[in-house]
Amino acid sequence: MRFQSQSLNRREFLRTSAATLVAGTWPALAGPAFPLPEKNVRYTSGSPSKPQRIILDTDPGVDDAIAIFLALRSPELQVEAITPVSGNVPLHFTLPNALRLIEIAGRPEIPVAAGAALPLVRRLVTAAYVHGNNGLGGVEFPEPKIKPAAESATDIIRRIVRANPGEITIVAIGPLTNIATVLKADPAIAPMIKSFVLMGGSLSGGNITPAAEFNFYVDPEAARIVFDSGVPITMVGLDVTNKVLLRESQVRKLEAAQNPVSQAAGKIMRATMSRIKPTKDETVVAMHDPLTIASLIDPSVVALKDHYVQIETSGEMTAGMSVGYYRGPVRRSPPMETGIPEEPIPTEEYKPNCKVAVGVDPDQFFRLLLPRLTANA
Ligand code: RIB
Ligand code: CA
């Protein structure tokens, strides 16, 4: 098991921590300065005999497409519903794309319920420059034959969670508008949700601004509602997903396999490779959403660490930033001077609200992904 993380080694960590304890300053470190949790920590995960029941909220999206295929080809997961949202491209593409993807995967029985077309309070920002105008890399697939569910995303999530309290994990791999809408419409549902597993956020810089990751940037208010919900959260952010990069040789494996899923995945990835500019000397596609799904199938592919994460919603330049503390004190920005006699700068007690993925084994991820997409169904 080979983890990639930015943490210091143990000796450096202890030296730095000691310095921090003495100086009381925040260690200015490159990346998380703590040892990764022991590998043998067991996480709850599904099994073919008792699959994890999930609702998949998504903005397909080229990496969403790979994630959806992986989820639908993994017996450890039981996909109860798919709820498209506007994000990478508008809902009028993400909805039919979700229908196309379950048809290609031969799973027309899975309900697809339309979600939000717009963020809660902001204008929609999309990412067609990465995902193509149609959201699937520009690859043209036939119009889907199946129709969306009659229910809205909010209604189907509320119905399934309320009918199965404590059983349903909501996996969100796009902006969190649908999830926040459920929590606003039905606050009493939060304790019935088993957990949120999110592709989103970053403790080490953004990908659409220097501060924010795309999913949280598109709807920061929705992300804040989710992180304030009290529901157990696993955050799979850019800290790990940027280390899981699909390369030419792996695209060729997808293209070589003769099944509808790998052929579609190969076409979408080939089109995406030709669209995005090469990173240094090769073109790679980050597996943001597929890693999030893989962490449900095999939790040991990532290393998790408790954090308190809060989402910036009022920054002119930082909206959507996920600010993560792995220890206290938690500080808000200094209050404006009002002339009132000196008040202590408020700090808050450290109370973790999520587990953040801080380490990843990319090889283990691809050993899981590729056989499942290339196998003959
Ligand atoms: O920042 C990466 C995330 O934004 C992924 O979910 C990708 O599909 C886009 O939605
Ligand atoms: Ca996505």
Side-chain angles (χ1 to χ4, degrees), residues 246-254 270 273 282 370:
L246 188 80
R247 294 183 149 80
E248 174 66 29
S249 60
Q250 293 152 332
V251 176
R252 288 203 190 124
K253 284 183 182 163
L254 293 173
R270 179 62 65 197
M273 300 272 273
E282 67 170 325
L370 292 173

Side-chain angles (χ1 to χ4, degrees), residues 59 63-64 88 131 173-174 199 207 213-215 238 288-289:
D59 59 337
D63 60 322
D64 302 68
N88 288 320
H131 297 268
I173 56 176
M199 192 285 130
N207 57 355
E213 175 278 327
F214 179 80
N215 287 338
L238 300 180
H288 304 294
D289 297 339

Side-chain angles (χ1 to χ4, degrees), residues 178-190 193 196 225-226 229 231:
N178 291 341
I179 314 308
T181 303
V182 167
L183 293 168
K184 284 174 69 181
D186 187 358
I189 203 170
I193 299 169
F196 290 133
I225 287 168
V226 168
S229 68
V231 175

